Amino acid sequence: MPVNEAAPRVGVVVVAAGSGTRLGLGVPKAFVEIAGRSILDRSLDAVRGLGEPVALVIVVPSEAVAPTTEMLVAAGTRAEVVAGGTTRQRSVALGLAVLPDTVETVLVHDAARAFTPTAVFERVVAEVRASGHGAIPVLPVTDTVRRVSERMCGETVDRSTLAAVQTPQGFPRAQLQQAYDEAADDLTDDAALVMAAGHPVSTVDGDASSFKITAPDDLRRADDLLRRNAVPVPRTGVGIDAHSFDPEAPLWVAGLHWPGEPGLAGHSDGDVVAHAICDALLGAAGLGDLGSLFGTADPALEGAHAEVFLVRTRAVLEAAGFRIGNVSVQLVANRPRFSARKAEADALLGGLLGAPVSVTATTTDGLGFPGRGDGATAIATALVFAAA
């Protein structure tokens, strides 16, 4: 995920400053672990899967700023971490204050909704841009709903006019900032603030997996969800990519910039290593290939670097119930001289995929287009594990 790159137009404020009192575990809710990963870390998977630059801000309890920053560095996720306030509304305001000026659309997301898919984020962003006003994800209410007074049943409420509200909630930045500047009371969510400021808010489809982890039963539900996907069934995939050299372009290989070297031609940055990895992973999982998933017609991917493709591919696999075992890549090219930066490349790519990655390089002793110095190719193999 290219968070905080040049000119991000989308900002995501993840609110993770809650105390977690109702969980009764003695630690802030966002830092409770489910199957070895914190609720906060899991909540960021959807953001990591977004296909455009994002300015990410995470609001946590003051004592959690340093450990959260360390966790993000280890995961290869760039974000601004700020201390929250005494209320959710105050915490969001503190997050808004540090977003860069380039951000036009702001999404506010509760870390407690740890399994929200990337697709929900994308639907909210698309609706905000198309409508020019706020958008929130909702689910229809399926239970019969009655008014109750002093434990006595009243009339049935027409559930066709009701919806269960989720996050992320998205808004044009100016409208959200105005709503916070004018807020006189603490309201239940950001949409309520924006509507109180006189702006409309529309809805998009939510997702059942975006349930909020609040009580111990929710933790058990989350744990059960992960356990159902925990039986490892190994699958392998192979990916191959090749690009010709373009002396006018910068060279990006294995997620690294190589100054002074001719670049590789392509709609994105032409990183053959990253592209081969994506095809190997998607092929192993039976989820298509790089071209069908991303496509050269997408203007958001023009010049995109390895992290965009790798993080989004990882998110696609994880959403489908797969986890990455390891990846091995062979780069075939006369240049760049790769061995000196192998460890750097392995660490970068492994951090993005959350799994071991090993890249090696070789030449063809003058044979074929790589041997002639016309371009570079890469061959990747990947091992993934799927739920039974």
Side-chain angles (χ1 to χ4, degrees), residues 16-288:
S19 64
T21 302
R22 282 175 284 182
L23 286 179
L25 298 177
V27 296
K29 176 167 58 179
F31 300 92
V32 172
E33 289 195 355
I34 307 172
R37 293 178 62 200
S38 70
I39 290 174
L40 172 59
D41 188 35
R42 291 187 181 279
S43 76
L44 298 180
D45 286 345
V47 186
R48 294 177 178 123
L50 290 170
E52 66 175 287
V54 173
L56 175 61
V57 178
I58 303 173
V59 188
V60 299
S62 58
E63 67 274 13
V65 171
T68 301
T69 302
E70 293 173 5
M71 179 270 288
L72 293 169
V73 171
T77 301
R78 294 195 298 276
E80 185 85 17
V81 183
V82 300
T86 55
T87 66
R88 181 187 185 281
Q89 194 163 306
R90 177 60 180 156
S91 293
V92 174
L94 292 167
L96 287 175
V98 299
L99 285 172
D101 293 340
T102 57
V103 168
E104 301 168 353
T105 300
V106 179
L107 275 62
V108 182
H109 184 55
D110 291 332
R113 298 186 186 274
F115 301 104
T116 302
T118 296
V120 176
F121 281 73
E122 293 172 334
R123 285 198 289 270
V124 172
V125 171
E127 177 64 18
V128 172
R129 286 173 169 166
S131 68
H133 56 66
I136 61 174
V138 300
L139 288 179
V141 174
T142 56
D143 292 333
T144 297
V145 179
R146 287 183 178 273
R147 299 189 190 279
V148 175
S149 177
E150 297 180 354
R151 299 181 63 186
M152 298 301 294
C153 285
E155 72 274 18
T156 299
V157 179
D158 180 6
R159 67 188 179 199
S160 67
T161 64
L162 302 177
V165 176
Q166 300 179 325
T167 67
Q169 299 187 0
F171 311 91
R173 182 180 187 168
Q175 294 179 16
L176 184 60
Q177 190 63 61
Q178 177 201 347
Y180 269 85
D181 291 343
E182 296 177 357
D185 301 305
D186 278 336
L187 298 180
T188 56
D189 64 359
D190 303 286
L193 278 176
V194 170
M195 292 170 68
H199 301 292
V201 175
S202 55
T203 65
V204 299
D205 290 339
D207 193 284
S209 62
S210 186
F211 63 93
K212 189 173 184 180
I213 300 171
T214 302
D217 281 347
D218 301 319
L219 274 180
R220 287 188 283 271
R221 177 182 176 186
D223 192 60
D224 288 344
L225 176 66
L226 293 173
R227 286 180 185 278
R228 287 197 298 271
N229 296 323
V231 179
V233 178
R235 299 173 64 166
T236 60
V238 177
I240 301 175
D241 194 51
H243 287 279
S244 60
F245 283 119
D246 178 0
E248 302 300 318
L251 180 63
W252 288 84
V253 169
L256 302 176
H257 180 222
W258 300 79
E261 293 282 355
L264 291 166
H267 178 66
S268 63
D269 64 3
D271 189 335
V272 291
V273 169
H275 298 175
I277 290 174
C278 291
D279 273 339
L281 290 169
L282 293 167
L287 296 173

Side-chain angles (χ1 to χ4, degrees), residues 240-243 245 253 264 272-273 329-336 338 359-380:
I240 301 175
D241 194 51
H243 287 279
F245 283 119
V253 169
L264 291 166
V272 291
V273 169
V329 191
Q330 179 92 78
L331 172 66
V332 185
N334 292 342
R335 57 197 309 174
F338 188 81
V359 183
T360 57
T362 190
T363 64
T364 63
D365 291 331
L367 299 176
F369 83 89
R372 294 193 302 270
D374 295 334
T377 191
I379 305 168

